Amino acid sequence: MESVTRDSSRAIRTSAEGTLYVFLGIVLLHWAEHVVQAVQIYVLDWPKTEALGLLGLAVPGLVRSEWLHWGYNLAVFAGLWLLMPGFERPAGRWWKAALLVQGWHFTEHGLLLFQAVTAVHLLGVDVPTSVLQLVVPRVELHLFYNGIVTALLLVGAVMRLRGERGRRSSWWRRPVRAAEPTRS
């Protein structure tokens, strides 16, 4: 019976770690798209309307869709939320910080989507505009948001996968700590 329990535990751990790696891969690819877009604008001197990243060169209408951006941000928020039980201190602090920043980012995309659907724009601006976009241009703001979320979740994930003392720890279980000697 112990063998079955151990095998089940290993399968759950492997599945959870695999899910984490897939999630990290998606987030990193998305952030790389924002970096490519910044290179297109600031290095290659492309107009912002044509600097759509690599995916946007292939499918421009898709990348310009507020639904796509809202859906992606919903998926990242949900991923952070669903994976959070596997993170404890100190890794959990980084993961929760990523969740908070992503929560704000998701809220801003909800505002952008509302404006795109209703054609009622914030403070009479001609295009859908987020709150912080009133002071920071959209490309730079989203590069910042995605960079911060990516950095926070990478730090949390690396800490979690390596364990508190730099060793690989088991997933979804509290890292085993040595018992403290009793004092007489």
Side-chain angles (χ1 to χ4, degrees):
M1 183 68 174
E2 184 179 322
S3 174
V4 172
T5 305
R6 189 178 312 133
D7 289 344
S8 297
S9 177
R10 184 178 300 130
I12 291 169
R13 182 174 59 248
T14 302
S15 175
E17 285 185 11
T19 301
L20 176 62
Y21 283 122
V22 168
F23 181 68
L24 291 172
I26 291 168
V27 171
L28 283 168
L29 285 172
H30 180 252
W31 184 68
E33 276 290 301
H34 282 280
V35 171
V36 168
Q37 185 182 34
V39 168
Q40 289 170 338
I41 294 168
Y42 295 109
V43 176
L44 302 176
D45 203 30
W46 291 10
K48 286 185 179 184
T49 56
E50 294 177 27
L52 302 173
L54 295 176
L55 182 60
L57 294 176
V59 192
L62 181 65
V63 173
R64 289 187 175 111
S65 165
E66 287 300 337
W67 280 105
L68 172 78
H69 292 91
W70 180 83
Y72 170 80
N73 281 280
L74 172 62
V76 172
F77 185 78
L80 286 163
W81 182 267
L82 292 171
L83 289 168
M84 193 168 48
F87 289 82
E88 298 168 350
R89 290 185 179 163
R93 290 181 181 152
W94 294 90
W95 200 260
K96 286 175 185 171
L99 181 68
L100 288 172
V101 174
Q102 182 60 28
W104 173 254
H105 190 189
F106 175 62
T107 301
E108 292 245 292
H109 273 286
L111 178 61
L112 289 167
L113 179 60
F114 173 80
Q115 293 173 70
V117 169
T118 63
V120 176
H121 300 143
L122 190 63
L123 298 177
V125 178
D126 293 339
V127 295
T129 305
S130 66
V131 174
L132 290 181
Q133 195 179 329
L134 293 169
V135 292
V136 179
R138 185 171 184 157
V139 171
E140 293 81 354
L141 180 62
H142 284 87
L143 180 64
F144 173 76
Y145 278 150
N146 288 291
I148 293 297
V149 169
T150 301
L152 291 169
L153 71 87
L154 278 175
V155 170
V158 167
M159 290 176 80
R160 179 63 184 103
L161 290 169
R162 291 191 176 228
E164 291 182 31
R165 293 185 178 88
R167 296 174 299 203
R168 263 183 98 68
S169 66
S170 57
W171 188 255
W172 299 111
R173 289 187 301 162
R174 187 174 221 89
V176 178
R177 298 178 188 194
E180 294 184 23
T182 57
R183 295 181 186 194
S184 345

